Amino acid sequence: MKTDIIQLFENPYLALGVSIAVIMAYLSVNAIMLIWLERKLSARIQRRIGPQRGPFGLMQQIFDMGKLLSKELLTPKHANKLLYVIAPILVFAPVVALSSLFPITSTYIFHDFNIAIVLILAISGINVIGIFLAGWGSNNKYALLGAVRSVAQNISYEIPLILSVIPIVMITRTMSLYDITLAQETYPFILVQPIALIIFIISATAETNRAPFDIPEAESELVAGFHTEYSGMRFGLFFFAEYSNMIFACALATVLFLGGWHGPFLPDAVWFFIKVYALIVLMMWFRWTFPRLRFDQLMKFAWVVLVPLSLINLLITTLVLKIV
Amino acid sequence: MNRFEVEQDPKSRDTYYLNMGPQHPSTHGVMRIKLHLDGERIISAEPIIGYGHRAHEKMAENRDYIQFLPNPSRVDYLGGMIYNIGYCQAVERAMNIEVPERAEYIRIICNELNRISSHLLWLGTFLMDLGAFTPFLYAFDDREKILDILDRITGSRLTYCYARFGGVILDIDDVFLDNVSNFCTYFVERLKEYEKLVIGNVIFRERTIGVGIFAPDLAQKYAITGPCLRAMGHVHDVRKDEPYGIYDRFDFDVPTQTEGDCFARTLVRVEEMRQSIRIIEQAVSDMPDGLFLAARVPKRIRPPEGDYYFCVESPRGSFGMYIASDGSDIPFRLKLRTPSFSHISAMPAVMAGTMLADAVAILGSIDIVVPEIDR
């Protein structure tokens, strides 16, 4: 039987504080570890060794964090101070808010919300605003171009993303992530919705601005895109947000398609994280293998390939559900 | 020709200027391209050069021919060997200095190894401009092998000063020849891998096919040479057309494509690497014994009064040297004709009407070396 962790506390504010502290701690450690993983993995792909400080190069990330924390927070002249400062927070905040919704084990969950999917799809859209504010507030043409690209890309890819989630909701007739996971006890939905999973992964890669869809920060064209002017921990927050968004997207894919915590022998939470990190490795593999698409090709891919494909998938799902 | 109609009156729309450079990851050096943009679309592009000007031509007027020897390899640091040898050949032709057989063969091997290393660096950086990071390190790894081989005989890795008037400064040994032939067998296999990894990639094809087409009249207008010209369908290679050194003894093809886009330039360069391997293999198997530096080279290098022009095929195109000699130790004028300068001059015509990301791809595909533009 499941237990809401939040309901274990009598004081709701205390519950909120504890939840946020746990999630923040996890996301920070996770981001640091993912940066390490990405560096090591890309090194393997590129026949390099990768970072070498400390055991397995683990200390490299700690030193990097120290560097980022100790760096001066520069604000460019003529930048819009308010927008410039809140942008990195807006990018990072949605992930923190939404991480509480994921059912990691079958017994404990931060909070089971009956329309979790709507909440996730709505609030995860906020980080686009953060990226746009970063680009607009920096008073830099490269940043602005990156921001404009980012908005266009995120809005375009949100549609196939949502369309690939709907079949799951139709099959399970629930929007609670806990109930969706429960429905996959016998088999994960990857077996019935493989196309939806592929569309979801592609869209999620685009939503998190990862290569080959990293045109908002395309370094060879836009230097660093929307975060060109950011330094120190403000840049660090963008960096954290990227990896947190990755784990968020992969966790959502795990819950929706890979059966969440279900799996033989090992404990629930272990299975959940194995699936999540396997997907993350896949996303990293994409990044270090493919060249970057051009902006118009990217949009074309979303509107001409992904949206019709997900609509067809939705149609087939509807028909099958009606007949069966 | 351009994929988009360019607005006749740029003021009729909200447009803006973007300075790509002088410090920018994709200009491969200190160069600025002033882009007039309408959103992502380029209305006009204007290359602004001169940030890395080092007055090599003026330096040549202030020192004698021998003292200028280290300079050519600094003009184009990627094709340093070819420039260095080319300069020696230019002076040798002016003075009618005989070069021993063995030296000629050594020069051919070094030239072609240098060409491959330059093309490898181009392949890596071009793909990095397109957003693929991994092939960059693969190409650098292979390039490193060439640098090691050349380092062993010349003592330097990038800015070589190996050739002398009448030959080369140091002899090669059997280890060098073994290294070279081992590299050839290894690299032929690697090239297949590159073709699979790069040319077969869907995104790569999307990004390069039909992008940055050099219009047929551009070739004559801007004196396009080298792989860029061959990608337009012209069979032109200085090594074949007016063979210098002993290039006429070797059996190799001049690869051409007809489209003139970024993809054609890639195919031409990859095939050129294969042809270079063919030349090297022939040179290694025919390597004669003998002197590596002519015994009777005049102590004082004084080309007879007159004008001399000599041209070699560099990895980027034809590199010409125009020596105006007044009969003294010091050149009256030494004009360097560098291919990158011609190619960058053609950029406004090629870039207009493309997207911002295409500009980066085009700039990467023509393989510019900024010190060569500025000289």
Side-chain angles (χ1 to χ4, degrees):
Chain A
M1 203 46 231
K2 70 173 178 186
T3 316
D4 273 16
I5 293 177
I6 289 178
Q7 281 161 9
L8 292 178
F9 295 94
E10 280 174 15
N11 184 343
Y13 294 106
L14 185 66
L16 200 66
V18 169
S19 304
I20 290 174
V22 170
I23 289 165
M24 284 295 286
Y26 168 68
L27 285 180
S28 308
V29 174
N30 171 65
I32 291 171
M33 291 308 292
L34 280 188
I35 295 167
W36 172 82
L37 180 68
E38 175 130 47
R39 283 182 176 173
K40 277 292 185 190
L41 202 70
S42 65
R44 286 274 164 243
I45 292 172
Q46 296 167 348
R47 310 203 300 188
R48 295 186 285 120
I49 305 168
Q52 286 299 295
R53 298 283 86 80
F56 308 106
L58 280 166
M59 288 303 285
Q60 180 74 50
Q61 289 9 277
I62 312 292
F63 294 146
D64 279 358
M65 281 315 299
K67 187 197 76 176
L68 277 180
L69 284 168
S70 59
K71 277 217 165 175
E72 187 187 351
L73 295 173
L74 290 170
T75 312
K77 250 184 199 171
H78 308 302
N80 188 325
K81 291 244 167 58
L82 177 71
L83 302 185
Y84 184 78
V85 172
I86 64 167
I89 302 167
L90 264 183
V91 174
F92 191 53
V95 193
V96 181
L98 294 174
S99 295
S100 62
L101 295 169
F102 286 103
I104 291 161
T105 68
S106 54
T107 44
Y108 287 100
I109 179 170
F110 276 116
H111 186 57
D112 185 25
F113 200 53
N114 56 1
I115 52 162
I117 286 184
V118 174
L119 192 71
I120 283 171
L121 294 176
I123 293 184
S124 65
I126 289 176
N127 72 356
V128 189
I129 299 172
I131 290 174
F132 188 71
L133 293 186
W136 182 259
S138 307
N139 187 33
N140 177 315
K141 285 173 188 166
Y142 288 114
L144 182 63
L145 261 175
V148 169
R149 284 175 171 197
S150 172
V151 171
Q153 174 185 332
N154 277 268
I155 289 170
S156 303
Y157 277 86
E158 212 142 272
I159 293 160
L161 187 86
I162 292 170
L163 287 176
S164 67
V165 173
I166 292 176
I168 303 295
V169 179
M170 283 165 64
I171 293 170
T172 55
R173 290 166 185 276
T174 171
M175 285 194 180
S176 150
L177 293 180
Y178 186 84
D179 293 340
I180 288 175
T181 316
L182 273 189
Q184 302 180 62
E185 192 158 11
T186 44
Y187 57 89
F189 287 148
I190 181 176
L191 299 177
V192 286
Q193 288 289 347
I195 297 167
L197 175 65
I198 292 166
I199 295 168
F200 185 91
I201 294 283
I202 293 173
S203 307
T205 315
E207 286 280 299
T208 48
N209 297 332
R210 299 271 306 173
F213 305 106
D214 62 342
I215 57 157
E217 45 193 301
E219 60 167 19
S220 51
E221 297 147 30
L222 300 183
V223 188
F226 59 87
H227 59 66
T228 306
E229 293 289 352
Y230 281 88
S231 65
M233 210 47 216
R234 285 187 192 143
F235 164 74
L237 265 186
F238 279 119
F239 214 49
F240 265 35
E242 181 183 334
Y243 286 94
S244 305
N245 276 322
M246 259 172 92
I247 196 147
F248 168 72
C250 291
L252 194 58
T254 305
V255 170
L256 294 177
F257 297 99
L258 299 182
W261 68 72
H262 290 297
F265 310 123
L266 295 170
D268 291 351
V270 176
W271 268 112
F272 183 83
F273 283 112
I274 285 176
K275 289 168 182 175
V276 169
Y277 285 105
L279 282 178
I280 283 176
V281 168
L282 185 74
M283 276 172 100
M284 288 178 175
W285 192 5
F286 285 165
R287 173 168 178 184
W288 297 106
T289 316
F290 293 125
R292 184 184 305 124
L293 281 161
R294 203 172 61 214
F295 183 58
D296 55 324
Q297 293 164 348
L298 187 90
M299 303 300 270
K300 205 171 132 193
F301 185 62
W303 292 103
V304 177
V305 180
L306 288 184
V307 171
L309 195 67
S310 49
L311 282 174
I312 292 167
N313 185 49
L314 191 62
L315 189 72
I316 294 170
T317 314
T318 320
L319 288 176
V320 171
L321 282 177
K322 198 76 190 161
I323 295 161
V324 174
Chain B
M1 182 203 344
N2 293 329
R3 284 176 304 114
F4 306 102
E5 281 284 305
V6 179
E7 288 273 328
Q8 287 303 308
D9 178 19
K11 281 173 192 159
S12 67
R13 296 271 293 272
D14 288 334
T15 58
Y16 62 103
Y17 285 93
L18 183 73
N19 276 316
M20 212 169 108
Q23 284 94 27
H24 188 279
S26 298
T27 54
H28 301 283
V30 208
M31 186 188 62
R32 178 152 69 103
I33 297 181
K34 201 167 139 194
L35 295 169
H36 189 191
L37 291 170
D38 172 15
E40 289 258 334
R41 192 167 307 157
I42 296 166
I43 297 170
S44 67
E46 183 193 345
I48 296 163
I49 60 168
Y51 292 96
H53 192 71
R54 287 165 301 166
H56 279 297
E57 288 176 6
K58 190 69 194 166
M59 280 161 88
E61 293 168 24
N62 289 311
R63 53 192 62 198
D64 64 33
Y65 288 92
I66 297 170
Q67 285 173 326
F68 192 66
L69 261 177
N71 282 53
S73 59
R74 268 89 177 162
V75 173
D76 175 357
Y77 51 83
L78 296 181
M81 187 65 91
I82 294 170
Y83 277 47
N84 179 228
I85 292 173
Y87 170 66
C88 289
Q89 282 167 328
V91 176
E92 279 157 13
R93 184 162 295 184
M95 292 189 59
N96 284 322
I97 300 172
E98 281 288 313
V99 180
E101 281 282 283
R102 188 174 171 83
E104 291 280 23
Y105 275 91
I106 296 171
R107 283 178 175 187
I108 295 285
I109 294 175
C110 293
N111 262 348
E112 295 309 314
L113 280 177
N114 198 204
R115 193 182 312 280
I116 295 171
S117 84
S118 173
H119 279 350
L120 274 175
L121 189 129
W122 162 80
L123 186 73
T125 49
F126 176 44
L127 284 158
M128 201 151 82
D129 289 343
L130 295 178
F133 199 83
T134 302
F136 174 74
L137 285 137
Y138 281 41
F140 259 62
D141 193 19
D142 286 344
R143 181 171 171 268
E144 201 68 18
K145 293 190 169 66
I146 298 177
L147 296 187
D148 285 344
I149 292 171
L150 290 178
D151 179 25
R152 206 179 147 271
I153 55 157
T154 66
S156 44
R157 296 166 61 78
L158 215 55
T159 48
Y160 308 100
C161 187
Y162 183 49
R164 291 292 183 279
F165 305 120
V168 292
I169 187 67
L170 289 165
D171 200 6
I172 56 164
D173 53 8
D174 290 341
V175 183
F176 171 76
L177 291 177
D178 286 348
N179 286 345
V180 171
S181 42
N182 286 343
F183 175 78
C184 288
T185 41
Y186 160 83
F187 191 67
V188 169
E189 292 304 308
R190 286 288 287 177
L191 261 182
K192 286 178 194 158
E193 242 175 85
Y194 283 120
E195 280 180 336
K196 254 191 267 174
L197 184 72
V198 176
I199 292 169
N201 189 302
V202 185
I203 300 177
F204 176 75
R205 281 168 175 260
E206 282 279 311
R207 283 295 303 273
T208 52
I209 292 179
V211 170
I213 298 172
F214 279 48
D217 62 323
L218 273 186
Q220 220 169 23
K221 256 188 193 162
Y222 291 97
I224 308 291
T225 49
C228 296
L229 182 66
R230 292 193 277 277
M232 293 160 75
H234 298 274
V235 187
H236 175 271
D237 190 321
V238 185
R239 292 175 292 173
K240 270 272 197 254
D241 297 349
E242 32 190 314
Y244 56 95
I246 50 163
Y247 270 112
D248 47 349
R249 293 186 204 170
F250 295 96
D251 177 27
F252 65 99
D253 302 327
V254 179
T256 51
Q257 295 286 325
T258 50
E259 296 82 4
D261 56 4
C262 294
F263 189 65
R265 290 193 276 280
T266 310
L267 291 180
V268 165
R269 286 212 174 83
V270 170
E271 187 56 35
E272 257 177 46
M273 288 196 253
R274 191 164 287 136
Q275 297 303 329
S276 290
I277 290 286
R278 268 178 74 189
I279 297 173
I280 293 171
E281 278 169 346
Q282 292 168 44
V284 169
S285 64
D286 296 348
M287 177 63 73
D289 285 333
L291 290 171
F292 57 92
L293 188 61
R296 303 170 72 86
V297 179
K299 276 260 158 52
R300 310 199 67 171
I301 303 295
R302 279 179 179 161
E305 200 173 335
D307 291 358
Y308 307 93
Y309 184 74
F310 189 75
C311 183
V312 295
E313 183 73 20
S314 95
R316 273 152 282 284
S318 50
F319 166 61
M321 285 145 285
Y322 186 94
I323 302 173
S325 169
D326 53 3
S328 68
D329 295 3
I330 297 167
F332 177 72
R333 175 84 166 92
L334 178 61
K335 162 86 179 116
L336 304 171
R337 185 249 174 240
T338 50
S340 290
F341 180 76
S342 307
H343 296 167
I344 201 76
S345 312
M347 281 304 101
V350 180
M351 279 184 182
T354 58
M355 307 278 278
L356 180 59
D358 288 340
V360 173
I362 296 165
L363 208 57
S365 76
I366 61 168
D367 189 14
I368 50 161
V369 167
V370 175
E372 198 195 36
I373 298 172
D374 292 340
R375 297 199 285 287

